[in-house]
Structures are given as structure tokens and as C-alpha cells.
Amino acid sequence: MNMSLGLIGRKVGMTRLFTDEGEAITVTVIDVSDNRIAQIKTQATDGYDAIQLAHGTRRATRVTKSMAGHFAKAGVMAGNGLNEFQLDAAKIAEMTPGQVIPADAAFTAGQKVDVQGVSIGKGYAGTIKRYHF
């Protein structure tokens, strides 16, 4: 099982970086600035060790009452979603609910990362099927 801390981000845009030789490298800019711990799950209470991260911002009136209570119990601002990451108990002991996870805590310079994304749906391609474009 993968036991590493991850962050949830939002694509901001794309740009390019130039090397010393003048080559352009295309990069995607991802904002991971607003990840905060909403709940700490332990072996004693939940049967496994994990942290639950809230990400993004959302008005308190736009979440359900159960989610509003969950965020209020943790003392964090309402977010767009919750994601869990299973970690070692030693790492979890250093964390507290409401703590903001900075990007430099999860990543080091030059580290390779796995990225998953969700593309925007484009709907049914009816004209392409009908007219054989």
C-alpha cells in the first residue's frame, strides 16, 4: 500500500522554462497552497492510520450540514473536497487538525512526482459521428 503524503492541487495554467542551452521546457503550473488537515485517523479509533486533507475554499453556506459540522469540528475553513492519505503513525503524530500542509513539506527539489488529473468532458461528438469528420 502506498504510504506517502500527497497534496491536492488545481491547475493554474501553463508556461515554459528555458534551460542554459536555450531549450524551452513546457511546464504546468499547479496551485497546492491551500491543503489543510481536516481529520486525523488513528489505528485506535478508525482501524488504520491516515490524514484527511481539505483543499480549496468554499462558502460555508454551500456545503451540507454534515460537512459543515465536520469542518467545524476540525476548526478548518470549508473546502471543495476531502481526500485521505495513509501514513505511518510516526508521521501522523507530528500533525494536528487544522494545520496547513505547505508544498515544501511534501516535496523536495528535483523529486519526481506522480500526477493524476480529471479532464473536462466535451459532451457527445454527434456531428463527428454523423458526418464522418
Side-chain angles (χ1 to χ4, degrees):
M1 186 168 286
N2 187 11
M3 299 192 70
S4 64
L5 178 63
L7 295 178
I8 308 301
R10 184 180 63 86
K11 182 177 176 179
V12 176
M14 295 193 70
T15 187
R16 59 186 175 170
L17 300 175
F18 292 97
T19 63
D20 293 334
E21 293 81 31
E23 297 175 355
I25 300 173
T26 306
V27 295
T28 302
V29 181
I30 299 174
D31 177 26
V32 293
S33 62
D34 202 19
N35 286 276
R36 55 211 177 272
I37 299 175
Q39 184 179 5
I40 295 179
K41 299 192 175 213
T42 61
Q43 192 76 28
T45 58
D46 301 297
Y48 62 101
D49 295 316
I51 62 166
Q52 190 178 67
L53 287 182
H55 56 89
T57 56
R58 198 164 204 190
R59 291 188 310 216
T61 58
R62 293 292 178 191
V63 295
T64 62
K65 286 187 179 183
S66 61
M67 290 304 295
H70 185 70
F71 288 126
K73 182 179 177 183
V76 297
M77 185 173 53
N80 289 332
L82 295 171
N83 293 83
E84 277 190 15
F85 295 98
Q86 290 191 358
L87 296 173
D88 295 328
K91 278 188 178 181
I92 292 177
E94 303 168 0
M95 300 178 180
T96 59
Q99 176 184 353
V100 175
I101 307 291
D104 58 354
F107 307 117
T108 59
Q111 176 186 0
K112 294 189 184 246
V113 296
D114 292 331
V115 178
Q116 292 181 344
V118 178
S119 62
I120 300 171
K122 303 297 183 193
Y124 178 70
T127 56
I128 294 173
K129 280 190 173 184
R130 181 173 181 179
Y131 298 112
H132 308 292
F133 289 157

